[in-house]
């Protein structure tokens, strides 16, 4: 990929709010504030945000899917606890 291709991709991602950017496990860990080990455990149990296995053991998470998963968890938590903060 040439330098021009990279800058075009970067501009496209920036203009779309980067919602479809693929995130690595450390980025997801940082966003959620949980250890990488927790993400591995969640994935092994079919829990946690939906990831995409690219090849072998390489897993990435779409930013938009991660944010959607967080929003779903927030809505479920609010419904279970009457909408107020604890």
């Amino acid at each position: 990929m040439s330098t021009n291709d990279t800058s075009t991709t970067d501009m496209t991602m920036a203009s779309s709010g980067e919602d479809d950017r693929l995130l690595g496990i450390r980025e997801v860990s940082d966003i959620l504030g949980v250890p990488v080990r927790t993400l591995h455990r969640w994935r092994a149990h079919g829990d946690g945000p939906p990831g995409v296995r690219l090849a072998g053991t390489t897993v990435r998470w779409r930013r938009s899917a991660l944010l959607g998963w967080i929003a779903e968890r927030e809505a479920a938590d609010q419904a279970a606890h009457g909408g107020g903060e604890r």
Side-chain angles (χ1 to χ4, degrees), residues 66-81 83-84 86:
L66 178 62
L67 296 177
W69 181 81
I70 292 168
E72 288 171 7
R73 302 292 296 186
E74 288 175 336
D77 187 58
Q78 288 177 357
H81 297 97
R86 290 181 277 156

Side-chain angles (χ1 to χ4, degrees), residues 19-60:
D19 280 348
D20 284 333
R21 189 168 73 90
L22 293 173
L23 305 173
I25 197 163
R26 286 183 187 89
E27 291 173 290
V28 174
S29 169
D30 288 344
I31 290 169
L32 295 177
V34 299
V36 167
R37 181 186 210 171
T38 297
L39 291 171
H40 285 298
R41 187 174 60 247
W42 285 351
R43 234 180 118 64
H45 294 290
D47 297 328
V52 178
R53 182 173 304 282
L54 300 179
T57 61
T58 303
V59 178
R60 295 293 182 260

